Amino acid sequence: MENDILKVLISEEALQQKVRELGAQISRDYAGSPRKLLVLGVLKGSFVFMADLIRQITVPCQVEFMAVSSYHAGVKSSGVVKIIKDIDIDPQDIDILIVEDILDSGLTLKYLKDLLLQRHASNIRIATLLDKPARRAADIKADYSGFEIPDEFVVGYGLDYAESYRNLPYVGVLKPEVYEK
Ligand code: IMP
Ligand code: MG
């Protein structure tokens, strides 16, 4: 597995430090809010970041997950998103913090945010561990962002290639020959 990694982009220590910073910032921002906070992870990629992040959040919160799949035409995201697992709570009058592994084209998060707004969520923010601004196609920005990264395919700390590498403790660049073969 480690042989498929070209280089470590973000070390385990740097990830933990950043998650502490994001958790502190989120805790400050939501402190004293009269509404309930729902931390909503987007499966599967966000699960490692999510598990670490919620333990740095000091305000009361609930946790839910949604699973979505985006249809890709070749390497381009089509923007058509299918909900595989939905939440069964009424988002009205709650604050939602969507947690994502990586903001790439942004089409998935744009779709999800619009869907939750249609359901009358009162306030929606986005926390993403990684951001690839060079590839943005949708008009969407993260409220909390861990690291801006170049346009390289990365794996580890929850992120996969063909469902593998999620268990690496760091974020690494995958050797191109792995997905070219
Ligand atoms: P988008 O923002 O709608 O294009 O899709 C974002 C999703 O694409 C993420 O949640 C990941 O599942 C996946 N993705 C995008 N870039 C990478 C990457 O470099 N490594 C692993 N998954 C990625
Ligand atoms: Mg994902």
Side-chain angles (χ1 to χ4, degrees):
M1 180 170 68
E2 305 256 353
N3 287 339
D4 295 341
I5 304 302
L6 186 67
K7 64 173 181 219
V8 175
L9 194 64
I10 309 165
S11 71
E12 209 174 336
E13 294 72 28
L15 287 166
Q16 295 309 321
Q17 176 58 35
K18 185 64 77 176
V19 170
R20 277 197 294 274
E21 287 169 24
L22 291 174
Q25 197 186 345
I26 290 165
S27 302
R28 275 197 304 276
D29 290 356
Y30 286 96
S33 168
R35 293 177 297 275
K36 282 185 180 164
L37 171 62
L38 176 69
V39 184
L40 178 60
V42 185
L43 290 172
K44 297 175 200 166
S46 71
F47 81 105
V48 180
F49 174 44
M50 175 95 165
D52 285 344
L53 184 66
I54 55 163
R55 283 176 287 176
Q56 301 296 329
I57 294 178
T58 54
V59 295
C61 65
Q62 295 182 8
V63 171
E64 289 282 348
F65 288 96
M66 282 179 81
V68 298
S69 88
S70 20
Y71 290 108
H72 290 260
V75 290
K76 271 180 70 190
S77 186
S78 63
V80 181
V81 177
K82 186 175 163 199
I83 305 290
I84 310 287
K85 181 202 180 301
D86 207 340
I87 46 170
D88 49 16
I89 57 165
D90 181 3
Q92 209 155 353
D93 300 322
I94 58 174
D95 292 332
I96 298 183
L97 179 65
I98 302 177
V99 177
E100 250 291 30
D101 52 356
I102 184 166
L103 189 49
D104 188 35
S105 74
L107 293 167
T108 309
L109 274 179
K110 173 88 174 105
Y111 179 90
L112 209 56
K113 192 172 175 180
D114 289 349
L115 177 79
L116 293 167
L117 283 171
Q118 279 166 26
R119 294 180 185 173
H120 310 290
S122 55
N123 178 280
I124 301 173
R125 288 188 190 163
I126 292 171
T128 187
L129 178 70
L130 308 175
D131 189 357
K132 272 186 198 171
R135 290 181 38 97
R136 194 77 80 255
D139 179 22
I140 193 136
K141 275 205 319 226
D143 301 278
Y144 306 96
S145 171
F147 302 89
E148 267 195 18
I149 63 165
D151 186 11
E152 291 179 296
F153 198 83
V154 294
V155 294
Y157 197 67
L159 290 107
D160 75 306
Y161 170 67
E163 297 301 328
S164 290
Y165 310 102
R166 294 193 198 274
N167 55 323
L168 289 171
Y170 52 80
V171 172
V173 178
L174 196 61
K175 285 182 183 166
E177 61 251 39
V178 175
Y179 46 89
E180 279 161 7
K181 72 183 168 203

